[in-house]
Amino acid sequence: MIYRLRKIRIAGEIPPMQNTRNILETIQMIQQENLDIRTITMGISLLDCCAEDIGRSCDKIYEKITRLAEKLVVTGEAISKEYGIPIINKRIAVTPVAMLLASSGGDPIRYAKTLERAAQAVGVNFLGGYSALVHKGFAAGDEALIRSIPEALSVTEHVCSSVNIGSTKAGIHMDAVRLMGHIIKQAALLTQANNCMGAAKLVVFCNAPEDNPFMAGAFHGAGEPDCVINVGVSGPGVVRSALQKIPEGDLSDVADTVKKTAFKITRMGQLVATEAAKRLGVPFGIVDLSLAPTPAVGDSVAHILEEMGLESCGAYGTTAALALLNDAVKKGGTMASSHVGGLSGAFIPVTEDAGMVAAVRCGSLSLEKLEAMTAVCSVGLDMIVVPGDTSQEILAAILADEAAIGMVNNKTTAVRLIPAIGKGVGEELNFGGLLGAGPVMHVNTASPAKFIARGGRIPAPIHSLRN
Amino acid sequence: MRAVITVVGKDMVGILAAVSAACAEQNVNVAEVSQSILQDMFCMIMLVDVSACKMPLAAFSDYMRELGQKRALQIHVMHEDVFEAMHSI
């Protein structure tokens, strides 16, 4: 029985304390349900670092990043302590490097090494933006940068890379898709000794957002301000435990509960974002509402779907449950933040989600089901380990399928496939940390080689003509 | 600026005294206290004013956590704005 021994109120004008239940709920979310701010990401424009000489360009990049992000990590840690909220990652996103390479020329690896040096100097967890936007074709610098990605990811530790190969407005650039099939394979080959980690730091997008704070796909778009703070929240554990309290509720109750929980989670993200922006003297950009899982027990999106009543993630009903979850997260989160952006929805990375990994191991979750799920959630085929002997044409064809889903549905799709070199179905890759571990999944080996070899562009869909 | 201190642990003599003494030592004023005991678990929530605290809030948070560790208690200090943000529109 709970009883109060004493309740003392000092007289005066001090407003009353929040009610005890609210306070305990917040503490429980943080201590037991893994609620955290996943990332504070500083977006930095490198457009003014562009010089005709690559050496000069690199010096300016290093100077600008280390100047603007000098206090990013300490500020993040101070906010984390004062507010009592864990902030897991501090990251940087920069202008797609291909834009700088266009005017400087030279060996793009020098940019990768400069970014790595800058990332280490300021102590961030990841730095994204070794990227190219080629959804309609290759401009100067684009192809050279893309071809350097495997080496860049093998000689750096913190640099992340992304390539946008399609959009609803432009269609899908199939020459780039074909090239990316090859690049993914090479990225895995060059980092074979390190669990093929190169491929885990490379994302292929359709409709890439310019303000996404999440890695590996973060970059600082050309329309963004000089410097900006974007924040990504997390909290699958909180949503799941809220649903545990309504085992008999119908799906309207489920959606309402998710909405209310997403509101609370996002309010915390908004608070941290505005505070970080204020302290760093940088404008606040957006809060990304994504439910991002981690390999930790109790921090899984798959377990939310199972809490809704599925025996295992991947069972029929999974796509419907995910559609409900994704929509309710957005509805709750939008109200809680002044500016929403990035990917904003539910993430379904396989190796980063203990429930997804379990579902793959028990045979309930297949690559085909995951593809269907990507049509209704915020990203695409994410952190999926495929057999090391998967051909580059098949990898390219998987990219094309995902890009088609993104293009037709006006949504972002991001693909992060890791060919496990030297391993087959059922064996495991273990990346450690937030990237997790997972089994190699079965891939349909019927050949799409001729289709991929055609190249060219898939035209934009009719509903891209909205003017 | 105000903060919320939560203290959870096995009930024993002197918890309230130790926590409030630590606050007083750092010039932190206790504004409100709510305390309950569930079976033998002690659970206390304190609203404190940290405007005149001798150390920055981040350091005070560490200081209180260490105090908790010495006495096998979980002591958590959070800025009051977190609760305002989460539980009010």
Side-chain angles (χ1 to χ4, degrees):
Chain A
M1 189 180 127
I2 303 175
Y3 55 95
R4 240 163 231 173
L5 286 185
R6 67 176 76 170
K7 183 161 182 154
I8 312 160
R9 167 86 44 87
I10 311 287
E13 288 167 15
I14 305 166
M17 183 157 58
Q18 280 278 339
N19 84 43
T20 313
R21 215 185 64 189
N22 289 350
I23 290 175
L24 291 178
E25 183 187 62
T26 302
I27 304 275
Q28 189 186 358
M29 282 181 181
I30 291 169
Q31 293 188 341
Q32 284 158 37
E33 296 161 5
N34 298 309
L35 176 60
D36 55 48
I37 300 294
R38 178 55 47 81
T39 178
I40 298 183
T41 304
M42 178 181 268
I44 301 175
S45 167
L46 298 183
L47 289 173
D48 57 346
C49 300
C50 205
E52 279 188 33
D53 170 60
I54 188 167
R56 178 88 188 104
S57 243
C58 287
D59 291 346
K60 288 168 97 172
I61 289 176
Y62 184 82
E63 188 279 324
K64 185 165 187 185
I65 294 177
T66 50
R67 174 168 47 88
L68 290 175
E70 186 192 1
K71 296 206 163 68
L72 175 63
V73 173
V74 286
T75 306
E77 278 163 8
I79 294 175
S80 176
K81 279 227 178 92
E82 284 173 30
Y83 285 82
I85 303 164
I87 299 174
I88 310 299
N89 291 301
K90 292 79 170 175
R91 297 163 169 173
I92 295 173
V94 298
T95 306
V97 170
M99 292 185 186
L100 281 78
L101 192 62
S103 80
S104 74
D107 179 6
I109 299 298
R110 291 181 66 181
Y111 281 123
K113 287 184 174 162
T114 303
L115 294 175
E116 174 70 24
R117 214 155 44 87
Q120 288 187 8
V122 296
V124 290
N125 311 89
F126 277 120
L127 187 152
Y130 198 76
S131 307
L133 311 179
V134 295
H135 35 283
K136 220 167 190 177
F138 298 117
D142 287 342
E143 205 170 337
L145 182 113
I146 292 175
R147 290 194 185 277
S148 76
I149 289 173
E151 189 189 344
L153 296 179
S154 71
V155 299
T156 59
E157 194 185 336
H158 300 88
V159 174
C160 292
S161 178
S162 55
V163 176
N164 192 57
I165 48 81
S167 77
T168 301
K169 279 281 186 193
I172 303 173
H173 181 201
M174 290 298 290
D175 293 332
V177 169
R178 182 175 55 196
L179 178 59
M180 287 315 296
H182 171 69
I183 296 297
I184 290 174
K185 192 80 178 267
Q186 288 303 312
L189 273 168
L190 287 187
T191 49
Q192 184 179 356
N194 185 21
N195 287 307
C196 309
M197 185 64 100
K201 294 185 289 181
L202 171 60
V203 179
V204 181
F205 275 114
C206 176
N207 290 323
E210 298 200 329
D211 53 5
N212 160 31
F214 286 100
M215 290 297 169
F219 65 86
H220 187 74
E224 295 281 305
D226 191 54
C227 187
V228 70
I229 287 291
N230 297 323
V231 163
V233 298
S234 175
V238 181
V239 174
R240 185 199 183 191
S241 96
L243 292 182
Q244 268 171 338
K245 290 173 194 144
I246 51 156
E248 305 301 328
D250 72 9
L251 291 174
S252 303
D253 300 334
V254 169
D256 271 348
T257 304
V258 174
K259 267 197 297 197
K260 285 177 192 157
T261 313
F263 176 84
K264 290 175 187 168
I265 295 171
T266 311
R267 287 288 277 205
M268 204 176 76
Q270 172 80 21
L271 176 72
V272 168
T274 43
E275 188 62 27
K278 194 171 86 189
R279 291 189 191 189
L280 290 163
V282 167
F284 155 67
I286 55 98
V287 174
D288 187 316
L289 310 176
S290 295
L291 277 188
T294 67
V297 174
D299 207 16
S300 155
V301 169
H303 287 156
I304 300 176
L305 304 176
E306 289 166 9
E307 192 60 49
M308 286 189 205
L310 302 167
E311 183 186 352
S312 165
C313 180
Y316 289 110
T318 301
T319 311
L322 183 59
L324 180 158
L325 174 68
N326 198 51
D327 183 63
V329 165
K330 287 180 199 170
K331 285 173 178 162
T334 309
M335 168 85 178
S337 172
S338 50
H339 296 280
V340 173
L343 296 161
S344 287
F347 285 0
I348 51 167
V350 175
T351 65
E352 294 173 4
D353 187 313
M356 295 281 175
V357 169
V360 172
R361 284 201 186 118
C362 79
S364 156
L365 184 60
S366 67
L367 201 51
E368 284 69 26
K369 188 64 182 175
L370 278 162
E371 185 182 323
M373 289 158 72
T374 65
V376 300
C377 77
S378 72
V379 282
L381 295 170
D382 195 15
M383 289 306 287
I384 291 172
V385 187
V386 297
D389 60 2
T390 307
S391 72
Q392 59 192 52
E393 288 80 14
I394 290 180
L395 294 173
I398 297 175
L399 300 180
D401 281 349
E402 264 314 297
I405 290 175
M407 174 181 77
V408 170
N409 293 304
N410 265 314
K411 70 179 287 287
T412 302
T413 46
V415 181
R416 204 162 27 147
L417 297 173
I418 301 102
I421 305 300
K423 296 193 178 183
V425 175
E427 290 181 82
E428 305 244 339
L429 266 193
N430 189 348
F431 306 104
L434 282 181
L435 294 172
V440 178
M441 293 185 72
H442 172 75
V443 170
N444 179 345
T445 53
S447 174
K450 207 169 163 187
F451 176 72
I452 294 301
R454 284 175 185 268
R457 284 159 54 197
I458 295 181
I462 186 72
H463 57 258
S464 70
L465 302 174
R466 302 176 86 174
N467 287 337
Chain B
M1 187 167 62
R2 302 199 302 178
V4 172
I5 303 176
T6 55
V7 184
V8 180
K10 201 164 167 18
D11 193 21
M12 64 181 116
V13 175
I15 297 181
L16 180 59
V19 176
S20 19
C23 289
E25 202 174 296
Q26 298 303 328
N27 203 28
V28 166
N29 187 35
V30 178
E32 205 174 322
V33 180
S34 157
Q35 176 196 309
S36 58
I37 295 177
L38 181 63
Q39 293 186 342
D40 60 347
M41 287 301 284
F42 177 90
C43 174
M44 175 168 74
I45 300 171
M46 287 173 116
L47 182 67
V48 297
D49 186 339
V50 288
S51 324
C53 184
K54 289 180 187 167
M55 45 170 76
L57 183 54
F60 181 65
S61 167
D62 281 342
Y63 172 78
M64 295 305 283
R65 199 183 60 234
E66 278 159 29
L67 172 75
Q69 278 162 356
K70 277 183 219 148
R71 294 176 158 258
L73 297 165
Q74 276 186 15
I75 304 186
H76 206 71
V77 180
M78 290 174 86
H79 199 295
E80 194 199 16
D81 286 356
V82 175
F83 306 98
E84 283 295 329
M86 256 195 174
H87 300 284
S88 55
I89 293 176

